[in-house]
Amino acid sequence: MEACGRTINLVAFASGRGSNFKSICEAARSKRLRARIAALVTNVPGAPVTEIARSYEVPVIELDHRGKTREEHERGILKALDGIEYDWIVLAGYMRLFTTSFVERLWDESLSAARMINIHPSLLPAFSGKDGYAQAIEYGVKVAGATVHLVGTGLDDGPILMQRSFEVRDDDTAESLMARGLELEHKLYIEALSKLGEGGWKISTGPSQTGRPRMVWPVKRSEQ
Ligand code: GRF
C-alpha cells in the first residue's frame, strides 16, 4: 500500500546501531512512508548507523562530540543544518542530551515543541532517561512499550504522538524485552511519521488542567 499525504523531509540523528534509522530508510525506499531523508547526523564517527546511511545513499554528517563543550558541539550541528532543507529532525537513538538553547533554536510555537521527533523505549512518562527496557525489567512491570513524541525542553518530554504497549513475560530479560521492543518500535515510528505527514492533526491543551499540550489526531471517518 502506498502512503498518502505529502513527502516529508527528514534529517535523522543517531549514535549507534541504527535499527530504527534503517527501518525509516527502508520504509521511504519502498514508499510505505512518503519521506526523503536529507542527511544523517551522528556524534559517533564510524558508528554502525553511518554504514546503513551510506548503503541508502543518505549523506552522513559526522560531528564528534569528544573534546568539545555541549554548546560548541551544538553550534557545529546548527551550522551543518543551515544548508539543509528539512521539515523534521528525527531522533533515532541519538544518545546526547541537548541544551535548552539548542531545543529553543528549533522551537515551533505552533507545536509547543521543537520540530524534532523522538522514539523512547518505554511508555512515557514511565522510565525516562537511559535503558528504558532494562528499567522496565528492573521495576518488574507487566506491560512495556514505546513512545513517539515531539521534543520539549525537559528530559523525554513533549507532546506524545503515539504509544504502543506489549506484555512483559516472566522469563524476559532486558535483552529479550529490547528485542521485542525494537520490533514494535520499527513499526510504530513509521506509523507515527506517516500520520504526521498526512497532516490534519493539531496541538491542543484538551481537557488538561495544567495546559499541558497534547497531540490530537484527526478522527477517521469510520470513527465518527
Ligand atoms: C531505541 O530503543 C530507541 O527507542 C532509543 O534508542 C534505541 C536506538 O536503537 N531512543 P537503534 O539504534 O535504533 O537500534
Side-chain angles (χ1 to χ4, degrees), residues 93-97 118-122 124 126-138 155-156 174 178:
Y94 186 68
M95 303 309 282
R96 294 278 295 167
L97 294 176
N118 184 39
I119 186 154
H120 183 80
S122 78
L124 288 172
F127 309 137
S128 59
K130 276 176 73 177
D131 301 327
Y133 297 122
Q135 288 191 60
I137 291 292
E138 195 51 45
L155 176 68
D156 297 320
M178 180 167 76

Side-chain angles (χ1 to χ4, degrees), residues 8 40-42 47 61 71 80 84 87 92 96 121-123 144 202 218:
I8 50 174
L40 168 78
V41 173
T42 185
I61 300 170
E71 287 76 10
I84 304 176
D87 305 309
R96 294 278 295 167
S122 78
L123 295 168
K202 60 180 181 186

Side-chain angles (χ1 to χ4, degrees), residues 43-204:
N43 62 315
V44 183
V49 69
T50 60
E51 274 316 300
I52 299 173
R54 290 191 179 102
S55 74
Y56 284 90
E57 292 171 10
V58 173
V60 176
I61 300 170
E62 294 183 321
L63 292 166
D64 200 337
H65 64 274
R66 286 172 302 184
K68 295 191 187 77
T69 64
R70 214 170 274 279
E71 287 76 10
E72 282 166 351
H73 184 238
E74 290 177 348
R75 267 200 296 280
I77 297 176
L78 288 170
K79 203 166 157 213
L81 290 178
D82 227 11
I84 304 176
E85 251 184 64
Y86 65 91
D87 305 309
W88 296 95
I89 289 173
V90 173
L91 306 178
Y94 186 68
M95 303 309 282
R96 294 278 295 167
L97 294 176
F98 295 118
T99 62
T100 305
S101 81
F102 181 82
V103 176
E104 283 171 356
R105 283 290 296 272
L106 300 166
W107 200 259
D108 183 330
E109 212 43 65
S110 70
L111 297 173
S112 305
R115 289 204 75 80
M116 233 184 325
I117 309 157
N118 184 39
I119 186 154
H120 183 80
S122 78
L123 295 168
L124 288 172
F127 309 137
S128 59
K130 276 176 73 177
D131 301 327
Y133 297 122
Q135 288 191 60
I137 291 292
E138 195 51 45
Y139 201 92
V141 291
K142 302 295 185 196
V143 171
T147 303
V148 179
H149 64 99
L150 297 182
V151 175
T153 47
L155 176 68
D156 297 320
D157 195 14
I160 289 174
L161 273 71
M162 287 181 83
Q163 292 187 300
R164 192 152 299 152
S165 63
F166 64 103
E167 247 178 71
V168 181
R169 298 175 188 150
D170 291 338
D171 60 352
D172 261 327
T173 59
E175 290 70 33
S176 66
L177 196 69
M178 180 167 76
R180 292 208 307 294
L182 281 171
E183 252 180 64
L184 173 143
E185 285 185 35
H186 299 159
K187 296 193 189 105
L188 187 67
Y189 220 176
I190 305 305
E191 274 181 54
L193 292 170
S194 302
K195 281 179 73 166
L196 204 64
E198 280 164 25
W201 46 270
K202 60 180 181 186
I203 302 287
S204 144

Side-chain angles (χ1 to χ4, degrees), residues 192-221:
L193 292 170
S194 302
K195 281 179 73 166
L196 204 64
E198 280 164 25
W201 46 270
K202 60 180 181 186
I203 302 287
S204 144
T205 52
S208 158
Q209 299 283 310
T210 57
R212 192 187 156 81
R214 65 198 56 211
M215 190 123 195
V216 181
W217 295 105
V219 180
K220 287 196 204 111
R221 265 196 213 107

